[in-house]
């Protein structure tokens, strides 16, 4: 079938993309490679389509399939989307991705190379031809322009042949294999897709479950994305699989997506609404009681499916403050000890099984966690982690928000209720990083959790890089008790850089005492009668931006967002298959920038001595400077490095 015919079929709605397909992920190198192969008339592989009835066919995009039958692309999406974008000059209706990957492609008549537009190289040069304009307007217009330049006359015959070869790509025949028959259910088709798509992203069990749901409710994926968008605006970043997991556990009491096999579209719609309300309620509870009010400090995401299921079994709300605190006691310990870091589904199922009957479920949950850990007492050495990605980092923030910690620039308590959401806290290194590096301390010690505290922006800027023995003395003079409120040892000798390790040891001890005291309060409460609690199932869509400590990283994240690239994970834990934390990187794309098509990518500033080996063994491509990472991203996903035309 000719490429032009395939594109016409897409316009008519008789060829489309199945709902279970993921978005467009090719980069400019892949686009150039495809066009170079077609120009040379090299084979680019066949297409595989699923021929099915249009009624009930779950296809992507807002275009309804043509009546009768529709051909859904199983293999060939990236190639056909690329060709559609270049030849039509716009993405197809089912497009979901970064259109810059195929926008502005040019061909050099002399070198026979394809490049993306850069004015410093191409502007005013008649040998560079806009491929999309050629496809849409034909060769005649370009031949006229070339004939107007006498110096090109000797090579006109060659140039015309090359222009014709490019335009002729539309007439290249592609072999199209068809999957047909009433026996080809969504399960069978997805299995076929996974078998032929060995070079791309395999469909997970979540994708398969969602594909089945979309067959009965085509708007399911979009409805879920709208819920995720609300959380995004409130400062919480969750993905589709996470939301689907919550829906699954709420509806079935099981963690495995396969449990959705008997859930129909109507039930799923109700499950989505229940998951949205339950998670909103829990986020409000966690923010209000624990002070964990933004994404960077929200630990234990996979505790949510368990808590959401428990909440639904309780009728959608918690009875009183005592029940709330005991649930939060389990939640905090679940993220402190990495309860779901290993075999997530298996551990989730263990916890889900003890929720029924609901009476006594919290006791059973806590006991199960205690048995798996041996002890739930926090020791000073548990605060020995480092970086904002460490599991005890949220615990430090929690203690700051709920235990009366005070700001060092104003003396004002940093309680979530008193300070308010419009005053986001900043991370402060008690011993400045530059000072510690000058004295030979390594990255893990410099960024130790016990060297961090939280201050308002004004206090953080005022302190800057002052030596601790100087500015801590001033803080204590101006605001007596403010240092102790943030668990800073008051022995002056410990404020000197040569005694830094002793400072860390003492502060860890103080933090452990505070953490155990607070967690004991959650578990056992007070002798007073339990108080009723009310929390909304609506999440406030406005929150203060959470500052990223490093200016270079902040700028990179903004650049990534503006250019439509997937959001990286900040302060990411690289774990072993069993959930053991191997190292922490400043940011990462653990599934690759092109998910499923490229290796994991990480940024490591101030590289630690063992990180090289760990990241290499884990299959990461990593960079030690923001500049090098950005250069890689520009090449990888096709953002122009020519500043005159860089699209942001």
């Amino acid at each position: 079938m000719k490429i032009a015919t395939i594109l016409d079929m897409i316009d008519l709605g008789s060829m489309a993309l199945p709902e279970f397909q993921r978005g467009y992920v090719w980069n400019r190198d892949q686009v150039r490679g495809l066009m170079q192969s077609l120009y040379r008339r090299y084979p680019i592989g066949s297409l595989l389509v699923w021929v099915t009835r249009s009624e009930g066919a779950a296809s992507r995009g807002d275009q309804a399939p043509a009546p009768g039958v529709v051909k859904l692309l199983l293999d060939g999406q990236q190639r056909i989307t690329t060709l559609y974008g270049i030849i039509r000059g716009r993405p197809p209706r089912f497009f979901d991705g970064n259109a810059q990957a195929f926008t502005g492609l040019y061909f050099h008549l002399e070198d026979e190379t394809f490049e993306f537009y850069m004015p410093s190289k191409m502007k005013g040069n008649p040998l560079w031809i806009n491929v999309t304009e050629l496809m849409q307007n034909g060769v005649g217009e370009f031949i006229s322009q070339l004939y107007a330049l006498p110096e090109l006359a000797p090579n006109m015959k060659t140039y015309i042949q090359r222009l014709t070869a490019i335009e002729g790509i539309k007439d290249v025949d592609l072999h199209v294999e068809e999957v047909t028959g009433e026996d080809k259910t969504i399960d069978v088709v997805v299995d076929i897709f996974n078998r032929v798509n060995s070079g791309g992203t395999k469909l997970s069990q979540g994708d398969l479950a969602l594909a089945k749901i979309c067959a009965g409710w085509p708007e399911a994926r979009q409805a879920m994305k709208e819920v995720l968008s609300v959380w995004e605006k409130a400062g919480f970043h969750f993905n589709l699989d996470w939301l689907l997991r919550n829906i699954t556990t709420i509806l079935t009491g099981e963690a495995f997506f396969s449990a959705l096999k008997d859930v129909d579209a109507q039930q799923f719609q109700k499950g989505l609404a229940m998951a949205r309300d339950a998670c909103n309620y829990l986020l409000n509870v966690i923010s209000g009681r624990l002070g964990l009010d933004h994404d960077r400090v929200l630990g234990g995401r996979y505790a949510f499916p368990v808590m959401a299921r428990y909440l639904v079994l309780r009728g959608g709300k918690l009875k009183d403050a005592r029940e709330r605190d005991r649930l939060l006691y389990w939640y905090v310990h679940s993220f402190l000890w990495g309860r779901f870091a290993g075999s997530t589904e298996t551990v989730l199922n263990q916890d889900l099984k003890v929720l029924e009957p609901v009476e006594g479920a919290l006791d059973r949950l806590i006991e199960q966690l205690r048995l798996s850990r041996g002890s739930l007492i926090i020791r000073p050495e548990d605060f020995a982690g480092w970086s904002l990605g460490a599991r005890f980092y949220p615990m430090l923030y929690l203690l700051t928000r709920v235990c009366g910690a005070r700001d060092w620039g104003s003396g004002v308590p940093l309680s979530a209720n008193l300070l308010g959401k419009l005053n986001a806290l900043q991370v402060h290194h008690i011993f400045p990083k530059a000072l510690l590096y000058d004295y030979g301390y390594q990255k893990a010690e410099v960024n130790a959790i016990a060297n961090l505290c939280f201050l308002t922006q004004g206090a953080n800027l005022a302190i800057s890089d002052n030596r601790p023995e100087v500015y801590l003395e001033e803080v204590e003079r101006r605001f007596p008790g403010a240092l102790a409120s943030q668990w800073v040892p008051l022995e002056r000798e410990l404020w000197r850089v040569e005694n830094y390790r002793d400072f860390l040891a003492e502060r860890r001890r103080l933090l452990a005492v505070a953490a155990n005291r607070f967690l004991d309060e959650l578990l056992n409460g007070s002798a007073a009668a339990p108080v009723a609690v009310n929390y909304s199932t609506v999440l406030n869509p406005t929150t203060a931006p959470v500052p990223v400590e490093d200016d270079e990283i902040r700028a990179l994240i903004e650049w990534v967002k503006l250019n439509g690239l997937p959001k990286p994970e900040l302060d990411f834990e690289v774990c072993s298959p069993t959930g053991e934390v191997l190292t922490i990187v400043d940011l990462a794309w653990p599934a690759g920038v092109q998910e499923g098509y490229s290796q994991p990518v990480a940024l490591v500033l101030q590289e630690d001595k063992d990180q090289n080996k760990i990241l290499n063994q884990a299959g990461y491509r990593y960079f030690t400077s923001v500049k090098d990472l950005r250069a890689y991203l520009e090449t990888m996903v096709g953002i122009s490095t020519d500043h005159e035309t860089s699209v942001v």
Side-chain angles (χ1 to χ4, degrees), residues 194-325:
N194 276 340
R195 290 175 185 274
V196 302
N197 197 35
S198 58
T201 303
K202 295 287 188 184
L203 291 179
S204 66
Q205 285 296 317
D207 294 317
L208 174 56
L210 193 52
K212 291 179 179 178
I213 296 299
C214 287
W217 182 29
E219 298 83 9
R221 185 187 296 269
Q222 184 57 37
M224 292 173 70
K225 285 184 176 181
E226 288 170 4
V227 172
L228 294 173
S229 176
V230 172
W231 287 329
E232 181 87 19
K233 291 174 183 174
F236 297 101
H237 309 286
F238 303 118
N239 60 35
L240 212 61
D241 268 12
W242 181 87
L243 176 54
L244 186 62
R245 188 82 65 187
N246 279 279
I247 296 169
T248 304
T249 57
I250 284 173
L251 290 176
T252 70
E254 294 281 336
F256 292 99
F257 292 131
S258 56
L260 288 171
K261 64 182 184 300
D262 297 323
V263 173
D264 62 29
Q266 189 174 13
Q267 291 172 309
F268 189 86
Q269 270 184 281
K270 292 179 180 177
L272 173 58
M274 286 192 289
R276 177 200 62 212
D277 291 348
C279 291
N280 283 349
Y281 184 96
L282 290 168
L283 287 169
N284 285 324
V285 168
I286 290 168
S287 175
R289 181 67 176 104
L290 302 181
L292 302 179
D293 54 5
H294 62 263
D295 197 67
R296 297 288 296 281
V297 294
L298 187 72
R301 289 158 184 261
Y302 277 97
F304 273 74
V306 176
M307 294 191 293
R309 172 72 176 174
Y310 176 79
L311 196 61
V312 169
L313 291 173
R314 291 298 259 166
K317 63 181 181 179
L318 299 171
K319 178 176 62 176
D320 54 39
R322 187 166 296 169
E323 181 182 28
R324 174 201 64 190
D325 285 358

Side-chain angles (χ1 to χ4, degrees), residues 551-567:
D551 290 338
E552 277 195 302
I553 292 179
R554 184 189 300 111
L556 177 68
I557 292 171
E558 290 174 358
W559 179 86
V560 162
K561 182 178 181 181
L562 287 170
N563 283 286
L565 304 179
K567 183 178 183 291

Side-chain angles (χ1 to χ4, degrees), residues 270-578:
K270 292 179 180 177
L272 173 58
M274 286 192 289
R276 177 200 62 212
D277 291 348
C279 291
N280 283 349
Y281 184 96
L282 290 168
L283 287 169
N284 285 324
V285 168
I286 290 168
S287 175
R289 181 67 176 104
L290 302 181
L292 302 179
D293 54 5
H294 62 263
D295 197 67
R296 297 288 296 281
V297 294
L298 187 72
R301 289 158 184 261
Y302 277 97
F304 273 74
V306 176
M307 294 191 293
R309 172 72 176 174
Y310 176 79
L311 196 61
V312 169
L313 291 173
R314 291 298 259 166
K317 63 181 181 179
L318 299 171
K319 178 176 62 176
D320 54 39
R322 187 166 296 169
E323 181 182 28
R324 174 201 64 190
D325 285 358
R326 286 169 64 79
L327 178 64
L328 293 178
Y329 175 86
W330 173 84
Y331 162 69
V332 171
H333 277 295
S334 74
F335 72 69
L336 289 182
W337 312 119
R339 173 71 173 159
F340 304 104
S343 304
T344 303
E345 290 172 321
T346 301
V347 178
L348 276 172
N349 265 349
Q350 291 173 3
D351 289 341
L352 289 165
K353 279 185 172 64
V354 305
L355 294 185
E356 296 182 74
V358 73
E359 293 303 324
L362 290 183
D363 291 332
R364 295 191 294 274
L365 266 184
I366 293 167
E367 183 59 25
Q368 191 157 267
L369 186 56
R370 183 177 284 114
L371 288 172
S372 71
R373 275 289 305 164
S375 171
L376 297 182
I377 300 297
I378 293 174
R379 301 162 301 172
E381 52 265 38
D382 293 325
F383 278 98
W386 60 278
S387 171
L388 280 64
R391 289 171 185 164
F392 272 74
Y393 173 78
M395 188 71 208
L396 177 64
Y397 186 87
L398 182 160
L399 293 174
T400 302
R401 290 301 234 178
V402 301
C403 292
R406 292 162 58 197
D407 185 48
W408 293 350
S410 63
V412 172
L414 299 176
S415 158
N417 296 326
L418 292 176
L419 193 65
K421 276 198 163 189
L422 296 180
N423 293 278
L425 299 181
Q426 292 191 345
V427 181
H428 172 71
H429 285 69
I430 300 171
F431 281 69
K433 291 190 289 184
L435 176 66
L436 293 173
Y437 283 127
D438 285 346
Y439 273 77
Y441 291 99
Q442 296 298 306
K443 181 179 180 179
E445 286 185 299
V446 171
N447 295 295
I449 291 295
N451 188 36
L452 304 180
C453 70
F454 296 94
L455 301 175
T456 58
Q457 183 181 36
N460 200 19
L461 291 173
I463 292 170
S464 186
D465 286 338
N466 288 331
R467 296 178 74 94
E469 66 266 29
V470 175
Y471 82 82
L472 290 178
E473 194 71 65
E474 177 65 12
V475 170
E476 185 63 14
R477 183 188 67 78
R478 293 180 62 207
F479 308 108
L483 296 181
S485 77
Q486 295 242 27
W487 310 281
V488 171
L490 297 181
E491 295 87 343
R492 269 54 172 179
E493 282 300 305
L494 296 181
W495 297 353
R496 307 186 67 85
V497 68
E498 58 268 26
N499 298 323
Y500 176 60
R501 292 191 178 101
D502 293 332
F503 169 89
L504 292 179
E506 178 59 13
R507 189 159 189 256
R508 286 169 185 144
R509 186 188 70 78
L510 294 172
L511 287 169
V513 170
N516 284 317
R517 184 186 300 121
F518 177 73
L519 288 168
D520 184 65
E521 177 188 320
L522 287 181
L523 179 62
N524 298 313
S526 63
V531 178
V533 292
N534 293 299
Y535 291 93
S536 174
T537 57
V538 177
L539 200 62
N540 186 349
T542 59
T543 186
V546 181
V548 177
E549 185 185 2
D550 189 281
D551 290 338
E552 277 195 302
I553 292 179
R554 184 189 300 111
L556 177 68
I557 292 171
E558 290 174 358
W559 179 86
V560 162
K561 182 178 181 181
L562 287 170
N563 283 286
L565 304 179
K567 183 178 183 291
E569 301 277 353
L570 289 169
D571 303 299
F572 181 73
E573 290 182 345
V574 178
C575 297
S576 71
T578 60

